[in-house]
């Protein structure tokens, strides 16, 4: 069944398509485009701009970041991280003439620099910070969109920049373009016509190794760099390449810088000269003429590259607004394994998936321009449904900003769409490799937004890394190797992988995929019985390597709940597949649940029963401590709607204890010999604490640290238990630490930048919206926990994404469910209701039942919603 | 003649020593010791602490810097710069018990960290920033003393730190101790007895290469590191060494950390362990016991070193104040030439002078303790005479802070007291080597404070670097090589060296030394006639390489005034030595002066007459520009009291023009394609400007930059011309740029940190005090230009240093001249007088004459003032 965009779908419409809609389409909430962005976005100015680096790039393409001041920084498009990496003299500048100005003025399209200015030879001149620039900038970010308003009252124009890379849930290709789209917007405040030129300068970096600190255009790896001008009907600009490196070289690549502005001028090579002449002559030409003189270019000499400039020329009438779009695109198709110490793998070539889609950087740039309207519209819908939701602003901020991680160097996508994921990024290298099972226990964003990539990680887990004995390599050597590496398996990671398969299956409904993995999954699960739960009582007591990089000895609820969750999930999958091990798993789950609770609940929370017989158990255990992760498996169970793994009252008590004992209002007086993620007056949630003076001499290794991934996990779990205030305190604490002056709001740090664990943030959304989708059952549920009277949110359920909104009053519910992408099949819809006798308003036809204030609505026939479809229904008291 | 300390010396006393002083000694102005420091010191707190790194170290010993927060940073004691270099877990901490505290508390003796906190794994834990610490700190610096008041109202003590390295003018050895003296001062605010322990922890760094980023105690260069406890009657503490490196190895060395507190405990090795155990156990022991358990130590295994802790234990009664002195000393006797690309010189061993004075680090530490009273008193006298002077605060700040340069890695002192001076320091290497004649044209601080080292540079200039043809290598290869390198000589540097010899001779009166250099000096001067002034008209028109790293073509007053100054100085020396070339020099001076003025004065300032016939003259010349350095030679002539080299009215007009055209009130709108030393709303003096749209397309290479060394030079010259307001505006501009938040007040930057040119700042003092001393004539002059009614200042005249003060009223002058070090011989004293018929008050006997409001007093017999002597005299209207 196909419905027209934004039409009202009712049950009768679903079963009798000929009927006209009962009322006109009302658009879903769509906050206006910048600068009128949703109020949920934080704004930054002054000192708070300093640490901002907003990543611009697609999935698996690398990124260049937009600095808070409008500068381009951290050039990480060369197949590895490069924090602080700068391309010399790569910047945009504006020249204005007329409009009442006594003489032409030039401003770099950046805010003035922020201190310190303490380099050994001053501020590096290759930043072009010697040019006049704007006095202030106001940065707003709603990932994937960044917006900067440049302020300088003395200029006769208003200037802003919108920057983004297309991001469309479920559409990995549309979200995997190697481009940065920069739109400068100018509104004349002048009383007379104004002539504007926007010059974008760039160094041709082809050949760059991606890590060397560049000071200019001289480096051994440069040479034969060629800049060309290309002019097509609808676009034009620069194509930067090098003839030095063959197509299979890791240094091979190209860049494109295109615009749609018809009137352009350019310089393919800056004039050469000694000392500062090149930049000086650039300045002189731009100031004096406002246009650049093109000349044929030739490949650069060995050891040198070239700067180029593309300028767009506009005339602005008084009050008029015009935009200049620059599309920066790149293609560096060949990476290599630079991180391994293994001789046989070091330097192994890696071909990027995106590199196989495009022959050069020109095509994705042109593609982005020619499909801009659709790419932007769909990206804006994602942004607006998330940022226009009624979730608390810090939650939106956390969900939105940390979705950026999957589009940084933390996640590589190789040919065949193979996802290879670091935990995070050090300044110049991913860290640690690769697809770490236990760190990726926490991540929920990729699973919900790009489930195809998430499933590729499951394939690697079970079809490659699982060994004959049922143990799973918890890291992935690259290139892939059957059985992975030789390290012990991680108990938490291995159990988590069972839960993750369950999640992927629920979101996809792909039985064939599940069947493919099933025998391996069973082996992985049952490996627990030979290793961790040798007595098969449903409680692990063996040596359990885990995400704290140590081994737990003795029963604990952190790995324990993951084990219980794995058993429960496996039982459900087994039932679905008709595998009679379901009963075994169910029985063990039941036994284990009771035993774990009995062993470990201390009245306040779940402790670890340290196995003192183990020689190594004298250190790094948490014992009587209150571990923030103690209910990790339960949190995952909530996300995938598996139900309670332990007695509900104990779960709730334990969560309250976690908040009470581990949430700190300040760190200035908190002694911490471990790593430092919260300082001074910052707030945060400790990994573990020992409330009653039971701290071991050598405690759990990361106990005194603060990990945003765990903080979001606990916050989401608090939300699931309707402990909203507590969860919100934690989320706010994290986001306040990332305030632009102290840390980059778009880069949460743990063991590395853009740390994957922080993508537990997606569960904040699923928790507060009470989202659940089972593709096998075609059942969708929302159970909003905040703003229930007038609730709006984004959802992404594996096969579709869109918006959900409800108006809930006493004895009346209005619902709208819109699909933006994918296809949503529905047999059952669940949502809250406050009355006693629900009745579906005509003309929707279907059954409705009510239990525990939740409706189950079953349309007369299954529905299928496609992009543009919207389902509306009203339930009133019958 | 020897006088007792602080006695009044009168002419009768000088000639008839038996006479008692006429009135009791009044002490010279001596501002109280910290915290009641002179008002001239800037205080820093909050953000302004961020960039502060106050160098602690002696001449030629390297330094460790005291950070604004009280941390030790930039460990540059390993014979090269090391900006950002950190010794892991090297910090001081305070434990308090009793005094009303419910339980013991520990605070690192540092302020809380300042953002950003954005490393890839958080703030590095090896900074020990995880310990509780003070909420705020107020940093005050009056080089060589730094003072920090730590603030935390919740603690029952007031805590401060005073840190310094002894600095005594003229006493190169007392000022060349490889030590940092750190005195923590505690005053109890408690109502009951308080138990305090101050634990100083340090990593044994022997073997460190001085540049690697250390994260812990593991590194290939470590091994066989041994920490020992030494206990002597009056001092005790740690001795850190290594048995891995023989005495001639560049890695050989030792450290000592001593205290005078009787009750100490220590740990020679922290307890070993995995993960964070070592620091955790340290914390646990200190918190629980407050003392450390010593145990015998042994050399560390290969690839590892050890941490050690020395704790001092005190009891404080209510209201009581006690001090804990820690003396950190080091000896790394062997450097090497790490900077050259010359194969034959790369890695050449260099033996530090200070290394030859002490067998290990223990001895200078013990020496500093045993001579502390004298070292501190004399250093304080220097500080207090400078900071207690009546000079404007920014001037004192500039003179004082930039004297630190001569005690950084910018200046090395090799065995035999050979001074080898870089221009400045890059982050990890001196830059550029070595004894650059033109950069050291500007430096006046070393010449006045440590003239023995300055003379060693002249010896190198004339006895080593001067080539047979009379050209001088303007850089010094190390080890020394006759004739230096093969580069062209620098015209400005070579002429400047003649002026510098004149200065050194005037300050020392050492005729033998002058005679030794004289024939070489003549050759160097007369080389001008074969090269730069081939037509011998007193004006250079040949290719003149200079401090802007380019060549001037055609006459210019920058090199031109240095040439005139050299001629004038050489003439005076020739007259003194009875060399009849004096007449030649005088005649040429006269001719040149007239011709230069005629050629170059444009009515406003002196231009360059570009020699258009030279092919290379089309670029990097200043032509019609107003060069800030255009009167460089005249400035030097003022410092050495050579008189006017050009018509006085033209000089004054040119100086006014320099200020008018080159002093900028802001840089945010100033386009600069060159290096960036002033930004945004900062103020500063441009190297050059072209007032009347005569800017060449490719102008003088550094024209748009702002160099503090030139700014001070011009400011001092403005002072010499009584243009006080203008000079002060420039000095204030510099010091405001170095405000702690933007840049380090104790590190002025040009081509490198601690750039030597900034030591032109000493001339601010000579200018405002009108100081002049001629040792050959034994004539001392003061001509205060500010606060003449009640003037006080420091002087250092080559053979002596001390204080000068005057009270000048209509028809009355009171003068006190005190000598703190060296010996001052006086035949003539000159100072201002406002009356018409001066008469020396009894009992001083001598002749007095008045001319142009300046007295010349000639004691009946020559005076000789030794340390402690003070000369007082009163002149009234007769």
């Amino acid at each position: 069944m196909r419905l027209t965009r934004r039409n009202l779908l009712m049950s009768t419409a679903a079963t009798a398509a000929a009927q006209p809609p009962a009322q006109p389409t009302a658009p879903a909430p769509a906050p206006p485009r910048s600068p009128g962005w949703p109020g949920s976005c934080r704004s930054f100015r002054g000192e708070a701009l300093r640490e901002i680096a907003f990543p611009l790039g697609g999935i698996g393409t690398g990124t260049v970041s937009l600095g808070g001041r409008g500068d381009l920084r951290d050039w990480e498009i060369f197949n590895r991280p490069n924090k602080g990496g700068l391309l010399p003299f790569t910047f945009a500048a504006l020249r204005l003439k007329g409009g009442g100005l006594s003489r032409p003025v030039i401003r770099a399209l950046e805010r003035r620099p922020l201190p310190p200015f303490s380099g050994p030879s001053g501020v590096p001149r290759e930043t072009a910070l010697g040019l006049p620039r704007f006095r202030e900038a106001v940065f707003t970010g709603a990932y994937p969109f960044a917006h900067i308003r440049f302020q300088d009252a003395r200029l006769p124009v208003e200037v802003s920049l919108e920057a983004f890379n297309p991001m469309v849930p479920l559409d990995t290709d549309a979200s995997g373009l190697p481009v940065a789209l920069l739109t400068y917007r100018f509104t004349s405040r002048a009383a007379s016509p104004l002539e504007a030129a926007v010059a974008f300068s760039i160094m041709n970096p082809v050949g760059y190794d991606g890590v060397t600190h560049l000071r200019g255009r001289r480096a051994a790896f440069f040479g034969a760099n060629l800049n060309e001008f290309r002019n097509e009907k609808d676009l034009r600009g620069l194509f930067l390449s090098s003839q030095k490196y063959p197509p299979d070289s890791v240094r091979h690549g190209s860049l494109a810088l295109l615009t749609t502005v018809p009137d352009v001028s350019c310089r393919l090579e800056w004039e050469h000269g000694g000392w500062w002449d090149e930049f000086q002559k650039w300045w002189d030409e731009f100031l004096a003429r406002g246009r650049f003189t093109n000349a044929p270019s030739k490949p650069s000499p060995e050891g040198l590259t070239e700067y180029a400039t593309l300028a767009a020329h506009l005339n602005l009438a008084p009050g008029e607004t015009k935009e200049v779009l620059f599309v920066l695109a790149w293609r560096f198709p060949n990476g290599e394994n630079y991180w391994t110490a293994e001789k046989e793998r070091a330097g192994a070539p890696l071909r990027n998936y995106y590199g196989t889609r495009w022959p050069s950087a020109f095509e994705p740039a042109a593609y982005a321009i020619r499909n801009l309207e659709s790419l932007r519209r769909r990206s804006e819908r994602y942004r607006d449904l998330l940022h226009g939701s009624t979730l608390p602003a810090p939650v939106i901020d956390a969900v939105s900003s940390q979705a950026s991680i999957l589009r940084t160097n933390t996640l590589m996508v190789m040919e065949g769409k193979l996802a290879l994921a670091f935990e995070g990024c050090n300044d110049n290298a991913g860290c640690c490799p690769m697809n770490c099972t236990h760190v990726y226990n926490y991540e929920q964003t990729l699973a919900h937004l790009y489930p195809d990539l998430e499933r590729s990680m499951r394939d690697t887990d079970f079809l490659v890394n699982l060994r004959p004995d049922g143990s799973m390599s918890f890291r992935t050597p690259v290139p892939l190797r059957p059985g992975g590496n030789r390290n012990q398996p991680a108990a938490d990671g291995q159990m988590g992988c069972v839960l993750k398969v369950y999640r992927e299956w629920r979101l996809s409904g792909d039985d064939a995929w599940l069947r493919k993995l099933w025998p391996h999954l069973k082996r992985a699960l049952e490996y627990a019985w030979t290793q961790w739960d040798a007595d098969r009582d449903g409680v692990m007591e063996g040596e359990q390597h885990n995400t704290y990089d140590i081994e737990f000895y003795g029963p604990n609820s952190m790995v324990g709940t993951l084990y219980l969750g794995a058993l429960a999930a496996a039982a459900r999958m087994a039932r679905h597949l008709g595998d009679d091990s379901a009963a075994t798993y169910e029985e063990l789950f039941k036994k284990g649940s009771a035993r774990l609770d009995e062993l470990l609940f201390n009245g306040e929370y779940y402790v670890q029963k340290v196995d003192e017989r183990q020689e190594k158990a004298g250190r790094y255990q948490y014992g009587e401590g209150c571990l923030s992760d103690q209910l990790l498996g339960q949190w995952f169970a909530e996300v995938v709607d598996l139900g309670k793994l332990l007695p509900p009252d104990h779960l709730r008590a334990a969560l309250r204890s976690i908040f009470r004992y581990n949430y700190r209002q300040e760190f200035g007086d908190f002694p911490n010999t471990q790593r430092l993620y919260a300082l001074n007056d910052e707030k945060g949630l400790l990994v573990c604490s020992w409330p009653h003076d039971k701290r071991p001499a050598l405690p759990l290794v990361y106990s005194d640290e603060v990990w945003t991934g765990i903080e979001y996990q606990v916050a989401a779990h608090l939300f699931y238990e309707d402990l909203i205030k507590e969860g919100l305190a934690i989320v706010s604490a994290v986001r306040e630490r990332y305030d632009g002056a102290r840390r980059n709001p778009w880069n949460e740090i743990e063991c590395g930048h853009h740390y994957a664990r922080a993508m537990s943030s997606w569960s904040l959304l699923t928790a507060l919206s009470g989202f659940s989708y089972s593709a096998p059952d075609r059942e969708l549920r929302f159970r909003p926990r905040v703003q229930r009277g007038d609730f709006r949110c984004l959802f992404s359920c594996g096969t579709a994404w869109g918006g959900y909104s409800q108006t809930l009053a006493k004895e009346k519910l209005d619902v709208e469910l819109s699909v933006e992408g994918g296809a949503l099949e529905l047999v059952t819809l669940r949502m809250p209701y406050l009355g006693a006798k629900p009745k579906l308003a005509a003309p929707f036809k279907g059954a409705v039942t009510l239990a525990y204030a939740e409706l189950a609505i079953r349309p007369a026939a299954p529905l299928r919603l496609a992009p543009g479809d919207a389902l509306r229904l009203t339930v009133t008291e019958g």
Side-chain angles (χ1 to χ4, degrees), chain A residues 443-455:
Chain A
E443 173 274 301
Q444 297 289 355
T445 310
L446 187 66
H448 286 83
L449 288 178
Y450 302 99
D452 55 340
L453 295 175
E454 186 74 49
R455 282 195 302 276

Side-chain angles (χ1 to χ4, degrees), chain A residues 93-387:
Chain A
L94 168 70
R95 178 183 184 274
L96 296 171
K97 189 182 167 191
L101 290 166
S102 59
R103 56 201 167 96
V105 297
I106 293 177
R107 292 280 184 281
L109 283 158
E110 294 177 16
R111 184 206 190 271
R112 291 180 174 182
L114 293 153
F117 305 138
S118 48
S121 289
V123 172
R125 62 181 286 276
E126 63 271 18
T127 56
L129 281 170
L131 301 199
R133 56 198 60 224
F134 290 81
R135 284 171 183 256
E136 189 50 279
V138 183
F139 188 104
T140 316
Y143 192 79
F145 290 87
H147 182 267
I148 300 178
R149 189 154 49 89
F150 296 103
Q151 298 181 323
D152 194 332
R154 301 164 305 164
L155 294 186
V157 282
E158 309 227 347
V159 183
S160 66
L161 165 63
E162 181 199 74
F164 82 110
N165 171 288
M167 176 173 178
V168 182
L170 310 183
D171 192 339
T172 309
D173 282 357
S175 308
L177 295 171
V179 299
L181 304 173
L182 303 159
T183 305
Y184 294 94
R185 187 177 290 116
F186 306 94
T187 301
S188 172
R189 291 191 289 232
S192 56
L194 194 57
E195 188 185 312
V198 191
F200 201 116
S201 297
I202 187 165
M203 190 188 80
N204 181 332
V206 181
Y208 179 42
D209 63 4
V211 294
T212 297
H213 180 47
L214 298 170
R215 302 295 305 260
R217 60 188 187 88
R218 182 179 304 275
F221 39 62
F222 291 138
N225 290 78
L226 183 64
N227 301 336
E228 297 165 276
F229 180 67
R230 292 195 182 173
N231 195 358
E232 302 198 356
K233 212 178 88 183
D234 53 343
L235 52 82
R236 56 208 55 81
L238 306 176
F239 182 69
L240 317 181
S241 64
S242 168
Q243 302 172 355
K244 183 168 176 176
Y245 299 101
D248 61 347
S249 163
V250 292
R251 302 294 174 82
H252 175 77
S254 57
L255 278 89
L257 178 69
L258 305 185
T259 184
T260 53
V261 174
D263 184 10
V264 303
S265 67
C266 74
R267 195 168 246 302
L268 298 178
E269 294 173 5
W270 284 13
E271 266 194 90
H272 294 168
W275 290 96
W276 334 118
D277 298 359
E278 299 180 348
F279 191 29
Q280 183 69 51
K281 288 173 174 175
W282 177 91
W283 167 266
D284 291 341
E285 180 173 26
F286 194 38
L287 185 67
R289 301 188 53 244
R291 302 188 77 89
F292 292 91
T293 314
N294 202 357
S297 59
K298 54 183 191 314
S300 63
E302 182 59 23
L304 284 171
T305 184
E306 299 286 352
Y307 307 115
T309 299
L310 172 67
H313 304 280
L314 313 171
N315 290 299
L316 286 166
E320 192 179 14
T321 295
K322 281 188 178 168
E323 292 185 346
V324 175
L325 168 71
F326 287 106
V327 177
L328 177 69
W330 57 90
R331 180 178 179 268
F332 292 92
N334 309 314
E336 64 180 348
N337 186 329
Y338 60 81
W339 59 85
T340 189
E342 265 188 78
K343 258 192 190 158
E344 58 180 290
R345 284 182 157 66
L350 296 170
R351 294 174 61 81
N352 286 320
Y353 169 65
Y354 89 86
T356 66
R357 293 176 62 200
W358 313 102
S360 82
F362 185 81
E363 290 77 13
Y367 176 89
I369 287 176
R370 286 165 183 155
N371 295 275
L372 183 60
E373 208 38 57
S374 157
L375 291 168
R376 170 180 266 157
R377 181 179 45 74
R378 294 192 290 155
S379 302
E380 284 178 346
R381 285 302 293 160
Y382 164 75
R383 175 193 71 184
D384 294 344
L385 285 170
L386 178 54
H387 280 268

Side-chain angles (χ1 to χ4, degrees), chain A residues 801-869:
Chain A
W801 68 281
Y804 170 80
S805 68
Q806 70 177 35
T807 313
L808 180 66
K810 198 165 180 337
E811 306 181 345
K812 185 163 190 288
L813 170 70
D814 285 298
V815 161
E816 178 174 317
L817 181 72
S818 68
V819 168
E820 299 288 339
L824 177 58
E825 302 203 355
L826 284 179
V827 165
T828 310
L829 241 162
R830 293 180 180 273
M831 58 263 299
Y833 186 66
L834 301 177
K837 295 180 185 167
K839 183 171 172 292
L840 271 165
F844 195 100
K845 279 194 188 153
V848 54
T849 55
L850 176 68
Y852 300 107
E854 186 165 285
L855 295 176
I857 296 172
R858 293 187 182 81
L863 302 181
R864 182 185 161 84
L865 278 68
D869 292 345

